[in-house]
Amino acid sequence: MGGPVGRSSTPGEGTRSRFRQADRHDRDGSPLDGGRNGGGRDESLYGDGGDADRARRGSGEGDGRGGDSDDTGSGSGADAKAAPGGPGRRSGARGRSSRAGRGGAGRSSRRAPKGGRRRVMRWASSVLALLILVAGGAGYLYYEHLNGNIKKEDLTLGDKRMADHKANAAGQTPLNILLIGSDARDSEANQKLGGAKETFGSPPLADVQMLLHLSADRSNLSVVSMPRDTMLKMPKCTAPDGEVFPASTVDVQTNQSLRRGGPGCTVAAWYELTGIRIDHFMMIDFAGVVSMADAIGGVPVCVDANIYSRGRNGRGGSGLRLEKGTTYVQGEQALQWLRTRYGFEDGSDLARAKAQHQYMNSMVRQLREGTKLSDPAKLMKLAEAATTALTVDKGLDTVKKLYDLAEEFKKVPTKRITMSTMPNVYGTGVNRGRVYPKAGDAEQLFRMVREDSPLDGKASKRKPQVTKDPSAPVGEIAVAVRNGTAADNLAPASGRAGEVADRLKESGFGMAAVDPDNVAGVARTGILFPSADLEGDAQAVAKALGIPLSQVKRSTDVSGISLAVGADWREEGAYPASKGTEKTPESAEALNGEEKKCMKVNPAYTW
């Protein structure tokens, strides 16, 4: 059993791992019916009806709601007749065309003229950012009305202050926006779409969580999905009404975060796990997905075989029914696509995330073609739908702010959009059917986002910024050196902190000392400092050891300069600085924004 792997905390204090090593194994050979989705309510927002037996086993604290539902909403149903999919074809509930309203999937294959509209529609790089841009463009016609539609909540409900962004050489900083899909059954519309009558009025779950990372130079966009079954330690959260939710003592399913005061706790949970600063959040529910999909008018999706998503014994499931090939989905059928788990690949939450990524990429391509929303009436409809559907943090509480944010997204070309999923492993025992961040790979992905490294593998023009703050004489710089070399099933390499501290002393850093109490593992060696007046000192430490300045970070988790010797420096000798572009882990299953793929259908769900 390996040592814990996680982010450094205050020197001298023990730090719990973000990555639990015990009782889990990788995805190879795991039984499909055991599922990675036991626990949370299956077929909630973007999910098929879950396994009650797994839900009853629980995670030890605050599991997601479970239970298969016989009523999953007003989808196509078992008696729906699917016609051939694709442009100009009809598909979905009762075979209605897109002209007939929500249930239809077809649309005319005729395209509007290109030219000016194409230039106008070259905008955002994610579903919600694109929609917000449209809402912003139309919103000035009735600005105050749209502002009144937008619901606002606190950005974070956690106690921990998020670290500041580090600017690039041009003084630019990245933007991180957390997208949250709520499974709330708090309205007639949501209850009709969500089914699961036993959960009506219950506190919602955050069943979709995607982080959008817009690079500092606005050249690329990275999207990281976190499976809703991810197990983690919940931070302390204080709800807007004053109710305090204490930090969890056991692992809790991540979708439970929304119940702990609202989306601000989901933000706090993400920061607790990843160390990635979150600048904004946007949350949407069932009805919001449908209304915005209707307003857009159809998005092409593809399956490699006929699919009918249904649960065990023919019950449950999203109700999605499509023929092999491409179909334009909208309204409730778009929601079915985004919710489907039963029917795609191995039936896991990861397969559902792939389908969501394909939908987002396809929507980006559609809107950038400029053929969808040239009609001002349609533009206004989307503006109304977008502002009514969204709950945002108070930093995005007006149409103007949303429009400005979308203007930033619009700078990214489609070919520089990369969709990914947090690398993960299975849990076992009582946590069978749950997932955990995969030690090494998950931290590497999180670190690339923290450090603004492109996930598409293309070199960034960004260069580490050398501080203008001069360092103190090296003999006066105190450095706490800790052994963070634990990785996967490897215990910390013996004596590494002492060896590196000795190297510093040989370079004149007489106040370098070992922090023996903190051995939480980190994938890559790094140096943390708490305030701007110590940045020069921290960079002096990095230069003395040959550690790249990009691995020197400001953090509120430390009270002085803290050097974590990572798993990349387990052997004696000079620091083995990486040369070349860091690659996104294969386990993140990255998908480029221009890739057009078909979802693989599970043979058990064909017709």
Side-chain angles (χ1 to χ4, degrees):
M1 184 183 302
V5 180
R7 182 160 43 95
S8 170
S9 183
T10 307
E13 296 181 1
T15 304
R16 69 167 176 262
S17 167
R18 289 206 307 273
F19 304 128
R20 192 178 131 178
Q21 300 299 315
D23 295 331
R24 52 172 125 154
H25 56 85
D26 211 330
R27 292 197 294 273
D28 296 338
S30 179
L32 298 182
D33 200 50
R36 304 178 58 116
N37 293 280
R41 183 170 63 229
D42 255 0
E43 281 314 316
S44 47
L45 180 61
Y46 317 141
D48 307 350
D51 294 341
D53 59 332
R54 284 180 293 180
R56 284 193 295 270
R57 282 199 296 271
S59 65
E61 178 174 337
D63 238 354
R65 296 192 290 273
D68 286 331
S69 169
D70 295 344
D71 178 11
T72 57
S74 56
S76 55
D79 61 347
K81 298 180 186 292
R89 302 176 182 178
R90 293 187 296 175
S91 177
R94 295 177 292 283
R96 290 177 295 181
S97 73
S98 60
R99 295 177 182 176
R102 291 181 178 173
R107 60 150 229 174
S108 171
S109 61
R110 290 166 50 192
R111 296 186 179 273
K114 301 179 180 179
R117 280 177 290 181
R118 175 169 300 203
R119 292 191 295 273
V120 170
M121 302 300 283
R122 288 176 183 167
W123 45 31
S125 312
S126 75
V127 174
L128 290 183
L130 285 163
L131 296 171
I132 290 161
L133 175 62
V134 177
Y140 289 108
L141 299 177
Y142 54 130
Y143 182 79
E144 290 302 323
H145 168 71
L146 292 183
N147 281 346
N149 286 344
I150 302 169
K151 296 177 286 292
K152 308 98 178 172
E153 295 204 27
D154 293 333
L155 173 62
T156 179
L157 301 178
D159 286 350
K160 185 178 292 185
R161 179 181 178 275
M162 288 189 285
D164 295 329
H165 286 301
K166 188 177 180 65
N168 64 13
Q172 302 164 309
T173 55
L175 271 173
N176 295 318
I177 297 92
L178 185 63
L179 308 184
I180 304 170
S182 162
D183 73 347
R185 267 84 165 179
D186 57 355
S187 68
E188 183 177 350
N190 282 330
Q191 290 168 4
K192 179 182 177 183
L193 294 165
K197 294 181 177 63
E198 70 278 5
T199 65
F200 285 5
S202 299
L205 297 169
D207 272 356
V208 172
Q209 300 174 36
M210 294 184 182
L211 180 73
L212 273 63
H213 172 80
L214 182 61
S215 67
D217 61 7
R218 306 303 188 252
S219 68
N220 63 90
L221 175 82
S222 301
V223 178
V224 178
S225 289
M226 183 186 293
R228 63 171 185 172
D229 300 322
T230 301
M231 304 299 288
L232 48 77
K233 295 292 193 303
M234 286 287 174
K236 175 183 176 183
C237 290
T238 303
D241 64 3
E243 182 177 1
V244 176
F245 296 84
S248 67
T249 57
V250 298
D251 290 332
V252 179
Q253 197 164 303
T254 183
N255 64 356
Q256 286 282 329
S257 59
L258 196 56
R259 290 181 165 185
R260 297 165 61 85
C265 193
T266 305
V267 169
W270 264 78
Y271 185 67
E272 178 78 9
L273 178 68
T274 69
I276 298 170
R277 176 187 173 86
I278 310 295
D279 299 291
H280 300 291
F281 72 78
M282 300 175 188
M283 185 169 69
I284 189 171
D285 59 14
F286 290 138
V289 171
V290 170
S291 65
M292 293 207 287
D294 271 344
I296 290 169
V299 173
V301 296
C302 181
V303 289
D304 69 354
N306 295 348
I307 181 174
Y308 178 33
S309 175
R310 61 203 183 280
R312 293 169 180 80
N313 301 319
R315 300 182 302 173
S318 72
L320 180 70
R321 185 168 178 137
L322 300 175
E323 279 200 350
K324 177 181 178 180
T326 299
T327 302
Y328 280 75
V329 297
Q330 66 183 87
E332 294 175 25
Q333 198 172 45
L335 178 63
Q336 289 173 343
W337 175 275
L338 295 169
R339 294 176 68 193
T340 295
R341 180 170 70 86
Y342 293 139
F344 288 148
E345 297 188 352
D346 62 356
S348 72
D349 200 38
L350 302 179
R352 177 168 48 223
K354 287 184 183 179
Q356 292 166 2
H357 292 166
Q358 289 187 20
Y359 181 92
M360 292 175 71
N361 280 341
S362 185
M363 182 178 283
V364 170
R365 292 191 298 267
Q366 280 293 106
L367 291 177
R368 287 189 170 183
E369 284 180 358
T371 61
K372 284 286 178 185
L373 295 169
S374 56
D375 184 343
K378 292 182 179 179
L379 200 63
M380 297 285 283
K381 180 180 179 181
L382 186 52
E384 191 77 34
T387 54
T388 302
L390 291 174
T391 299
V392 301
D393 67 273
K394 294 174 182 176
L396 293 177
D397 59 357
T398 67
V399 171
K400 174 63 166 62
K401 292 177 182 178
L402 292 171
Y403 181 83
D404 289 344
L405 176 62
E407 284 291 292
E408 295 300 300
F409 278 98
K410 118 183 221 186
K411 300 172 183 177
V412 180
T414 307
K415 64 183 179 180
R416 297 300 309 278
I417 300 171
T418 306
M419 306 279 178
S420 67
T421 300
M422 180 196 77
N424 55 85
V425 294
Y426 283 109
T428 59
V430 296
N431 287 324
R432 179 172 176 264
R434 312 296 198 275
V435 299
Y436 290 83
K438 184 176 183 180
D441 283 8
E443 174 56 27
Q444 180 180 342
L445 185 67
F446 298 154
R447 184 180 67 248
M448 291 179 72
V449 174
R450 288 196 302 266
E451 297 180 357
D452 199 24
S453 299
L455 297 189
D456 60 7
K458 296 180 180 179
S460 174
K461 298 178 181 179
R462 178 179 57 89
K463 295 181 180 180
Q465 187 175 14
V466 178
T467 181
K468 297 179 181 179
D469 175 53
S471 71
V474 295
E476 299 175 8
I477 299 176
V479 185
V481 184
R482 69 180 192 85
N483 190 342
T485 57
D488 294 328
N489 295 321
L490 298 174
S494 178
R496 289 299 295 130
E499 291 164 359
V500 173
D502 288 343
R503 291 177 68 90
L504 283 173
K505 290 177 180 177
E506 292 171 1
S507 298
F509 291 82
M511 297 178 66
V514 173
D515 172 9
D517 299 323
N518 189 346
V519 292
V522 292
R524 186 162 66 163
T525 299
I527 301 171
L528 302 179
F529 62 94
S531 56
D533 61 321
L534 291 178
E535 184 171 13
D537 295 357
Q539 290 192 356
V541 174
K543 291 175 183 177
L545 296 173
I547 298 171
L549 294 185
S550 61
Q551 292 166 227
V552 179
K553 300 292 180 182
R554 183 173 177 175
S555 172
T556 57
D557 287 344
V558 296
S559 57
I561 296 175
S562 175
L563 165 60
V565 182
D568 59 344
W569 200 7
R570 290 178 61 89
E571 305 295 332
E572 292 186 38
Y575 178 68
S578 175
K579 297 180 180 180
T581 304
E582 185 171 25
K583 293 183 178 179
T584 302
E586 290 186 9
S587 55
E589 299 188 86
L591 177 70
N592 183 268
E594 291 188 332
E595 289 184 68
K596 297 181 180 180
K597 291 188 174 183
C598 291
M599 281 301 298
K600 181 176 178 58
V601 175
N602 187 313
Y605 295 91
T606 59
W607 55 273

